[in-house]
Amino acid sequence: MRKHDLCAILLSLCLLAGCSGGTASVTPSPRPTAAPVPGVGMEVKTGLAMVADLGQSKSADGGQEGTVLADMILVALTVTEKGVIDSCVIDGVRAQMGLDASGRLTTAADTKFPSKNELGESYGMKGASSIGREWSEQADAFARYAQGKTVEELKGMSLDADGRPAEADLTGSVTLKVGNFLAAIEKAAASAAYRGAQLGNELRLASITAADKSRDAAGGEAGLVQISTTAAAVTLAGENITSCILDGIQAETAFDTAGRLTGDLTAPIRSKNELGEEYGMKKSSAIGREWNEQAAAFSEYVRGKTAGEVSRLSVTGEGRPSDADLAATVTIRVGDFLELIQKAAG
């Protein structure tokens, strides 16, 4: 081989190898990577709101029984950092307690009130609906419509004079008045926080409503109707709980021995989480923690567990946690919490 040919070959090898006077090294080309899947692994905020109203209640009068009627809307949602609703569940509770003109309750205080979604067709709206759809079906249609939108976009939707949707996408599936839906969605989004949920997690909503603290008016003491709802919003990845919110609300009014309602039926009703320290448990708590703080601690405890694992929580004879770690932050009775987790995630 001629000398100049050998030099040309050596020069070519040097250029290919990236010669720099030391040992030659070849930098490998980056391996092709799969395109990222939009949204996967993105953390989202979880929110829960409860809107309650006693405005349809009435005193006993003219031989007619009185009624304390609590109408509640519950909303659970997940929302992105940009305020876009990823998932939404809407439910409602219509709980009614009767009382007579002598100040006695005519509805048993131990009555339990299922939610409208739990009742399904038993709620009885379908037969009277102009579109032949039950309350639960219409609430689900509205929740689906909300997905992918911001609160501001929802608030900008067209409504008729009665507050029913006038949007072409909704008129065939929702004829309910949706003002309380919008109010509850806005409240849930405003209070939503990062609690471990990720985009695409399954969202569940469960509630328990009872009036067991209600009592007759007797012996110079006013009667009381207290309709209490406790709710849980839970997100799931498979069977594992990724986030949880617990809240409660008490819709109540006093009444006298003539069955006349004496409470302010127009006063705003705030949930226990909204009340915070105003709820007033902290001062009597053995651990100095308010109801909302204890509910938040229990919610954090269940995160990462399955419903089955939560159900095996050890409790005292009074229904309080006996698990040492949890008992340091939660001393309230947790029976309703456990039931809600089973309903939502079981």
Side-chain angles (χ1 to χ4, degrees), residues 199-220:
L199 200 68
N201 284 175
E202 184 178 2
L203 176 66
R204 305 270 187 90
L205 172 62
S207 64
I208 298 170
T209 301
D212 53 342
K213 299 294 177 62
S214 301
R215 61 178 185 269
D216 295 337

Side-chain angles (χ1 to χ4, degrees), residues 204 206 234 236 238-239 241 305-308 340-346:
R204 305 270 187 90
V234 172
L236 298 165
E239 294 184 352
I241 298 167
K305 296 179 174 62
T306 66
L340 286 168
I341 297 300
Q342 295 310 304
K343 289 176 72 171

Side-chain angles (χ1 to χ4, degrees), residues 28-109:
S29 300
R31 293 184 180 180
T33 57
V37 180
V40 171
M42 179 188 295
E43 192 174 7
V44 291
K45 300 176 184 178
T46 309
L48 172 65
M50 313 174 77
V51 175
D53 174 36
L54 286 172
Q56 298 177 66
S57 303
K58 61 182 181 180
S59 299
D61 184 48
Q64 297 294 314
E65 283 194 353
T67 300
V68 177
L69 176 59
D71 201 356
M72 305 186 192
I73 297 297
L74 316 176
V75 167
L77 54 72
T78 56
V79 62
T80 70
E81 181 183 4
K82 294 183 178 180
V84 178
I85 297 169
D86 173 47
S87 57
C88 180
V89 181
I90 300 173
D91 202 354
V93 179
R94 187 178 175 87
Q96 183 170 310
M97 295 288 288
L99 64 154
D100 64 21
S102 63
R104 289 192 298 265
L105 297 171
T106 59
T107 304

Side-chain angles (χ1 to χ4, degrees), residues 118-133:
E118 289 175 307
L119 287 168
E121 292 197 5
S122 298
Y123 183 64
M125 177 177 284
K126 189 172 185 176
S129 168
S130 61
I131 56 174
R133 293 172 68 90

